[in-house]
Amino acid sequence: MTNSNVSVGPMDHCNTTDPLTYQVLSWLMVGEFVFGLPLNVSVLYIFLFRFKFWKTNSVFLFNIVVADFLLMVCLPAKAYNYQHGLRRSQDKTQCQVMLFMLFINRGASIAFLTTLSIDRYFNVVHLGKRNCVKFFRKSPLISLLIWLLLLPLTIPTMVEGFECCNSHGRTDASHNVTDTFRELVFFTQILIPFVILLYCTVCIVHRLRKKTVGDKTKLRRAVFLVTSVVIVFSVCFLPCTLARAVLLAIRLLNMQEVETLVAQVYDSLMVLSYIDCLLDPLLYCFCCSGFRDAYVEAFCPAALLRRMPSLDNSTRTTTTNSVGRIVNVPLVQK
């Protein structure tokens, strides 16, 4: 009789209220994992063995890929919970570890993305001036420092027990200190980088459009690239942030019936945010010509061979060797 009263009392915040919705969300995460894992693994392979990121000033790019990969490997566990009618794991340790992994890896991805945007801002808008980020990107120690700085922001997810990893507004004031800190981290790690990213992008686009010298096609491509980064960031992260704010407000007002619906919307938008792990390699890695050539050479040599005949005339130049004989030297290095 007691169990029956509990089940019809306050909403069970761990169990899903609409199994069909969460079944669909679980398969979406499976799809993100199936497509994202080989993509991120192949990109990591190129960075480590073909592109040699430590020699090409691509340390920030490499860290973005590492963070996306670690976030990607968490998706099967979340999909498993959704398929079994659970919004979060009911096992306290597993729930906290999952939340820790999601927080730190998504935070790292956003942090390195923001740092990369600042670097591009200085390279385009303040070209020729001293760029401290340009110096930092050559040092792996800076990347390590960013990871270490994220730890104190993420550790609170591990130190307090809370209802289904999601208790803000339901517990007493002593627990709310940790919960409030966790919520502040959630919002600031998205909103502050978005403001920085938006400012850098506006300045970069304005500067590029003022250029009168250079290939117009390349300038348009550069404008499209920096603009698409803001669009992807906005689509992936801002909707779930807004939904989270609405969910907290409704929870504090103790509107349980509405909370059920808003929680479904929030979970759906969080699943959408994981698609960032698929888009980051496309936006950053494949827009780098050196990385793109290394990737094509490693995984699509046939496509490279088809390109070579059409590039023979444009990629070769004549020079004179040591004995005065004219030879052709390819400008594209393999």
Side-chain angles (χ1 to χ4, degrees):
M1 189 71 178
T2 302
N3 292 338
S4 176
N5 290 337
V6 171
S7 63
V8 297
M11 184 178 70
D12 188 344
H13 303 286
C14 282
N15 292 329
T16 60
T17 53
D18 187 351
L20 179 59
T21 299
Y22 285 88
Q23 285 288 329
V24 172
L25 292 178
S26 70
W27 286 112
L28 285 176
M29 281 190 287
V30 169
E32 291 172 344
F33 178 79
V34 168
F35 288 104
L37 184 65
L39 176 62
N40 281 274
V41 168
S42 63
V43 168
L44 282 174
Y45 168 79
I46 296 298
F47 267 118
L48 290 172
F49 301 107
R50 294 298 185 95
F51 197 51
K52 297 180 180 179
F53 68 92
W54 59 91
K55 294 182 179 180
T56 56
N57 297 332
S58 301
V59 176
F60 292 156
L61 275 177
F62 174 74
N63 280 276
I64 290 175
V65 176
V66 170
D68 288 339
F69 172 76
L70 294 176
L71 182 61
M72 184 70 61
V73 298
C74 297
L75 296 186
K78 286 188 67 68
Y80 176 85
N81 291 330
Y82 279 8
Q83 288 184 352
H84 288 77
L86 298 173
R87 295 184 63 230
R88 307 284 191 275
S89 172
Q90 291 179 318
D91 180 82
K92 176 183 174 182
T93 302
Q94 181 184 347
C95 182
Q96 291 176 323
V97 169
M98 280 292 299
L99 199 61
F100 175 81
M101 290 290 291
L102 293 174
F103 260 77
I104 192 168
N105 291 307
R106 190 173 68 163
S109 178
I110 294 174
F112 285 108
L113 185 155
T114 306
T115 308
L116 190 62
S117 297
I118 295 173
D119 179 51
R120 286 179 173 176
Y121 165 78
F122 279 105
N123 286 334
V124 175
V125 179
H126 298 290
L127 183 64
K129 295 183 180 180
R130 190 172 183 179
N131 180 0
C132 59
V133 181
K134 186 175 182 180
F135 170 76
F136 289 157
R137 71 180 178 182
K138 298 180 180 180
S139 173
L141 294 178
I142 301 303
S143 299
L144 179 60
L145 180 62
I146 292 176
W147 283 99
L148 292 176
L149 288 176
L150 288 169
L151 286 177
L153 300 177
T154 314
I155 289 298
T157 63
M158 307 288 289
V159 299
E160 286 283 353
F162 41 87
E163 181 187 358
C164 202
C165 302
N166 203 6
S167 62
H168 190 74
R170 301 195 190 103
T171 55
D172 57 36
S174 62
H175 285 167
N176 269 344
V177 173
T178 302
D179 293 334
T180 300
F181 182 77
R182 186 173 60 252
E183 299 297 339
L184 287 175
V185 171
F186 178 87
F187 287 106
T188 55
Q189 76 172 5
I190 294 176
L191 296 179
I192 293 179
F194 174 72
V195 172
I196 296 173
L197 181 62
L198 187 62
Y199 174 79
C200 292
T201 300
V202 171
C203 293
I204 291 172
V205 171
H206 179 69
R207 175 62 178 165
L208 290 175
R209 286 180 174 171
K210 287 177 62 177
K211 280 182 174 290
T212 57
V213 179
D215 189 341
K216 296 297 183 182
T217 302
K218 290 183 178 180
L219 291 176
R220 285 195 297 268
R221 190 180 304 150
V223 170
F224 171 77
L225 172 61
V226 295
T227 305
S228 62
V229 172
V230 176
I231 294 174
V232 169
F233 190 96
S234 302
V235 171
C236 289
F237 297 120
L238 292 186
C240 66
T241 306
L242 177 61
R244 182 67 181 173
V246 174
L247 178 61
L248 290 177
I250 289 176
R251 185 183 299 162
L252 292 172
L253 295 174
N254 199 26
M255 302 168 62
Q256 292 186 3
E257 294 182 0
V258 181
E259 181 182 348
T260 302
L261 177 61
V262 176
Q264 292 180 32
V265 174
Y266 167 70
D267 288 337
S268 301
L269 293 175
M270 282 298 296
V271 172
L272 173 65
S273 72
Y274 300 142
I275 201 173
D276 180 66
C277 299
L278 278 167
L279 297 178
D280 276 349
L282 302 179
L283 279 177
Y284 290 98
C285 301
F286 291 103
C287 290
C288 174
S289 59
F291 178 90
R292 184 174 61 249
D293 292 341
Y295 194 95
V296 171
E297 185 178 0
F299 297 108
C300 309
L304 185 63
L305 289 175
R306 285 196 298 270
R307 286 179 55 193
M308 291 307 293
S310 62
L311 296 177
D312 277 344
N313 294 331
S314 60
T315 60
R316 292 180 180 272
T317 185
T318 57
T319 187
T320 305
N321 65 8
S322 59
V323 295
R325 184 178 178 183
I326 295 179
V327 295
N328 288 327
V329 180
L331 295 178
V332 178
Q333 294 182 353
K334 296 184 179 180

